[in-house]
């Protein structure tokens, strides 16, 4: 049985037409791990299942396009079909539990996320088990926001997911020798980024891929208005890949 990746949503910080924002479902032998849960992801998951059953969700960082649909996930668990489902584990970065309590105090109630998810905090570079996969979060530079990428291994396969990242050695290390590197390519050109870098151009994503020794590259988090050269694999919502 292979590991399957479904691109639930792959829009950048603003949605592509009709698109959902970041959400990547990794599955093997019935185990389901969702990497990020941006706006539009829950609606997409509900197109195939009345309420999604996932074992674990892991969030790279607290920019809204990577976690925003955890909010309606809470309401659907409190008042909707999610009531019937076991609570997924929710992995967030160090200090993320407190961050969620702060968001909760402004958006509903302080403990709203802990009432819906089994909230856990990962540590930089320390592998943890989520949905039966071995996941390692690696700290990445992304403007000044605490941000991580994920390396996921299981069933003899491996993938890396950049989340959002500036060009960096840490990103190359995250993707070292994986079967599939899902890498953001938000920018038309690197020099259009802020002085403190936060994202990659397609050329910078390719450079990180080539330096990493990863076997396959899937570009993502890219505005539709910035097409990529033919021959490059570009994510689209609904894309399914087997590793
Ligand atoms: Zn993003
Ligand atoms: Zn971001």
């Amino acid at each position: 049985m292979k590991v399957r990746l479904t691109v639930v949503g792959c829009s950048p910080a603003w949605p592509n037409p009709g698109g959902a924002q970041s959400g990547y479902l990794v599955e093997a032998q019935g185990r389901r791990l969702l990497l990020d849960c941006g706006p539009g992801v829950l609606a997409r998951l509900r197109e195939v299942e009345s309420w999604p059953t996932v074992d674990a969700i892991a969030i790279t960082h607290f920019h809204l396009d990577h976690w925003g649909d955890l909010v309606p996930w809470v309401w659907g668990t409190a008042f909707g079909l999610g009531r019937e489902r076991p609570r997924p584990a929710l992995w967030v970065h160090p200090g993320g539990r407190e961050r969620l309590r702060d968001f909760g105090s402004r958006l509903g109630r302080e403990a709203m996320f802990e009432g819906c998810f089994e909230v856990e905090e990962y540590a930089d570079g320390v592998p943890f088990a989520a949905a039966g996969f071995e996941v390692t979060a690696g700290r990445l530079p992304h403007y000044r926001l605490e941000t991580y990428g994920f390396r996921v291994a299981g069933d003899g396969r491996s993938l890396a997911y950049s989340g959002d990242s500036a060009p960096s050695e840490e990103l190359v290390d995250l993707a070292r020798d994986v079967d599939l590197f899902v890498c953001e390519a938000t920018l038309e050109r690197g020099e259009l980024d802020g002085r403190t870098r936060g994202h990659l151009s397609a050329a910078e994503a390719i450079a990180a891929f080539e330096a990493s020794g990863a076997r396959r590259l899937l570009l993502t988090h890219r505005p539709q208005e910035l097409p990529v050269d033919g021959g490059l694999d570009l994510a689209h919502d609904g894309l399914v890949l087997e590793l």
Side-chain angles (χ1 to χ4, degrees):
M1 172 67 186
K2 296 194 166 94
V3 173
R4 185 166 63 184
L5 171 76
T6 301
V7 177
V8 184
C10 63
S11 288
W14 58 98
N16 288 327
Q21 289 173 306
S22 295
Y24 302 86
L25 187 64
V26 186
E27 295 173 274
Q29 302 190 51
R31 312 185 319 266
R32 307 180 90 203
L33 168 65
L34 180 65
L35 304 178
D36 281 338
C37 188
V41 168
L42 182 54
R44 281 275 152 74
L45 292 172
R46 293 200 65 203
E47 286 180 329
V48 290
E49 206 178 358
S50 62
W51 194 262
T53 48
V54 301
D55 301 293
I57 302 169
I59 301 294
T60 56
H61 66 301
F62 284 107
H63 274 156
L64 189 76
D65 56 314
H66 293 258
W67 75 277
D69 260 12
L70 295 182
V71 176
W73 202 307
V74 167
W75 303 134
T77 299
F79 304 111
L81 295 176
R83 268 184 307 208
E84 317 293 325
R85 303 293 158 95
R87 294 194 299 170
L90 173 62
W91 287 91
V92 291
H93 68 53
R97 182 191 307 273
E98 200 49 46
R99 188 75 59 90
L100 287 171
R101 293 180 73 85
D102 181 50
F103 287 136
S105 70
R106 297 159 200 271
L107 298 174
R109 51 181 181 259
E110 193 176 73
M112 61 187 267
F113 294 101
E114 287 152 288
C116 175
F117 305 105
E118 299 284 351
V119 179
E120 308 262 12
E121 294 183 1
Y122 52 76
D124 186 13
V126 180
F128 59 97
F133 295 96
E134 182 185 273
V135 184
T136 309
R139 180 87 190 255
L140 298 173
H142 178 48
Y143 305 118
R144 300 195 187 284
L145 191 70
E146 185 166 357
T147 302
Y148 295 78
F150 294 127
R151 188 180 170 98
V152 180
D155 296 63
R157 301 288 194 274
S158 59
L159 70 85
Y161 165 51
S162 68
D164 290 350
S165 179
S168 69
E169 276 305 307
E170 293 90 338
L171 179 64
V172 173
D173 286 343
L174 184 82
R176 185 78 62 201
D177 298 329
V178 291
D179 295 306
L180 175 67
F181 182 19
V182 182
C183 187
E184 70 120 298
T186 310
L187 304 172
E188 184 178 10
R189 298 194 311 278
E191 57 268 33
L192 299 176
D193 208 355
R195 191 187 307 187
T196 299
R197 295 292 311 270
H199 287 294
L200 305 171
S201 67
E204 289 168 334
I206 292 164
F209 165 69
E210 289 177 345
S212 73
R215 279 179 271 292
R216 182 173 180 183
L217 173 65
L218 179 68
L219 298 176
T220 193
H221 200 276
R222 187 154 182 91
Q224 183 178 283
E225 52 272 31
L226 296 180
V228 296
D229 293 342
L232 292 169
D233 276 345
L234 180 62
H236 59 83
D237 294 12
L239 176 68
V240 177
L241 294 179
E242 294 218 328
L243 279 66

